Amino acid sequence: MKTSKLIPIIIFLISIHSFAQSHLEEKKEQIRALKVGFITNELALTTDEATKFWPIFNAYDDKQFEIRHQKMKTFKQRMDADLDKMSEKDASALLAQMENTEDELHQMRKKFIANLKGVLPSVKIIKLKKAEDDFNRKLLQQYRNKRPRK
């Protein structure tokens, strides 16, 4: 194929990829805005609490998202391979990595809660957990309702 024909195809493919990424980022930001509104409403944060709470929450949320999506994506790719051909040694190593990731997420959550104890009363920390669960459930339900029926 001539270079002159190849360049527009490459530009087209790059633009589609960029559009898809920006669309995903846009969706992620929309969800984050909804989550912030939902949590703010559920916790009834004072101005002082909100000023201290949101930087801690956002740092935790970003790190948790990064771990879940980067490491879990890797695990999923390895599991999508033919599992019947995976050796016991490889399966054990993958399982250990998955357990380590879950431990890392758990330790991160414990540290997050410890940090919040200096900012929010315990009742609001419990309300936060409930609000996060309720938000995730609501988001999942909306996703299910939007999916085309088969």
Side-chain angles (χ1 to χ4, degrees):
M1 187 181 294
K2 286 186 170 181
T3 306
S4 61
K5 290 182 181 180
L6 190 60
I7 290 175
I9 292 172
I10 291 172
I11 292 172
F12 176 72
L13 292 174
I14 290 172
S15 66
I16 287 175
H17 181 72
S18 298
F19 176 76
Q21 279 186 331
S22 67
H23 184 69
L24 288 174
E25 285 297 317
E26 200 174 288
K27 283 287 186 195
K28 182 180 171 192
E29 287 306 313
Q30 286 175 346
I31 291 170
R32 178 174 259 190
L34 290 171
K35 187 175 188 178
V36 166
F38 189 85
I39 289 172
T40 299
N41 186 50
E42 294 296 308
L43 296 185
L45 298 171
T46 65
T47 306
D48 186 49
E49 288 173 337
T51 302
K52 295 174 184 172
F53 169 77
W54 287 111
I56 295 169
F57 180 84
N58 289 334
Y60 165 76
D61 199 46
D62 289 343
K63 184 67 176 167
Q64 176 199 208
F65 179 85
E66 179 185 317
I67 290 171
R68 285 192 188 280
H69 285 81
Q70 293 303 318
K71 292 186 178 182
M72 297 299 186
K73 182 178 171 182
T74 302
F75 299 151
K76 185 176 178 339
Q77 287 171 346
R78 290 184 64 190
M79 287 188 290
D80 283 345
D82 191 358
L83 292 178
D84 293 329
K85 293 181 182 175
M86 185 179 281
S87 71
E88 185 63 26
K89 181 180 176 185
D90 289 342
S92 292
L94 179 59
L95 190 56
Q97 289 174 341
M98 292 168 71
E99 289 171 342
N100 288 339
T101 298
E102 289 299 326
D103 286 344
E104 183 179 354
L105 288 167
H106 178 71
Q107 291 304 318
M108 202 170 70
R109 181 75 183 186
K110 285 175 68 173
K111 183 178 176 187
F112 169 64
I113 291 170
N115 289 339
L116 287 181
K117 285 181 180 178
V119 174
L120 298 176
S122 296
V123 171
K124 285 191 178 182
I125 296 172
I126 292 169
K127 285 182 179 182
L128 171 64
K129 174 64 176 147
K130 183 180 182 321
E132 287 177 300
D133 291 346
D134 290 348
F135 179 80
N136 290 336
R137 203 173 298 110
K138 184 178 174 182
L139 191 65
L140 184 59
Q141 187 60 45
Q142 286 178 350
Y143 173 75
R144 286 180 179 154
N145 292 341
K146 283 186 178 182
R147 266 192 0 218
R149 304 283 180 218
K150 290 184 179 181

